[in-house]
Amino acid sequence: SSELTQDPAVSVALGQTVRITCQGDSLRSYYATWCQQKPGQAPVLVIYAKNNRPSGIPDRFSGSSSGNTASLIITGAQAEDEADYYCHSRDSSGNHVIFGGGTKLTVL
Amino acid sequence: QLQLQESGPGLVNPSETLSLTCAVSGGSISSSTFYWGWIRQPPGKGLEWIGSISYSGTIYYNPSLKSRVTLSVDTSKNQFSLELSSVTAADTAFYYCARDVRTLTYDAFDFWGQGTMVTVSS
């Protein structure tokens, strides 16, 4: 099986840029997808297939990937970006979805 | 706009079977482009994928839950369902249904239900 590792917590000053990372061997073969979850709400898709944004997601959200690490980048973080962020991808078999443990983003 | 809505008992006895349904509106479940997935989240913890099913019945299960999980689709009602047997307190969680854009190299859950809390307790 495979695992995806995320930092439990990250903070960023208002208006600054923050990178949230996701590490795992399966990321060498499969894209990471990122979702945002605010308290009491269902998750929302923010980045898929490395660096694609669904309609309605601000362009300050972007994604990148290198080797076994995928990143969610927020350029000019806003107060409303404070949330938990989860990456997910496939395991080494390619059949099953695995989630990272999540990163709690605090905007200072 | 596609909408998904979970329904089912909020309280299940230990050792019994948890059954949830996800009603899909604003689009057809019978699309070869999409899968339909279940994800759960214990209170205060992270997300866990349970499984995904296509309208034609192709199913992928989380290996850690596979022995207890059954997914099904009812195209006539435009809904899909989850059954989880032999539940314990560890299965207490928010359960979400979502549309799964599943390709060879990624999944993207692009529409989610609001989630339903299921507590396992006698």
Side-chain angles (χ1 to χ4, degrees), chain B residues 26-109:
Chain B
S28 174
I29 201 171
S30 302
S31 168
S32 60
T33 307
F34 305 113
Y35 278 68
W36 304 92
W38 290 95
I39 299 100
R40 71 179 183 177
Q41 184 175 37
K45 297 188 177 180
L47 300 169
E48 179 182 35
W49 174 73
I50 299 171
S52 295
I53 183 171
S54 74
Y55 85 98
S56 61
T58 301
I59 304 173
Y60 297 96
Y61 290 121
N62 184 326
S64 68
L65 298 170
K66 184 176 182 178
S67 63
R68 298 194 293 130
V69 174
T70 302
L71 301 188
S72 60
V73 168
D74 187 337
T75 55
S76 67
K77 295 182 179 179
N78 218 41
Q79 64 185 33
F80 60 107
S81 299
L82 162 71
E83 289 191 342
L84 180 65
S85 64
S86 304
V87 297
T88 69
D91 296 308
T92 293
F94 286 95
Y95 285 77
Y96 296 98
C97 60
R99 189 174 77 173
D100 181 0
V101 180
R102 185 179 176 95
T103 74
L104 289 175
T105 54
Y106 71 88
D107 294 84
F109 299 104

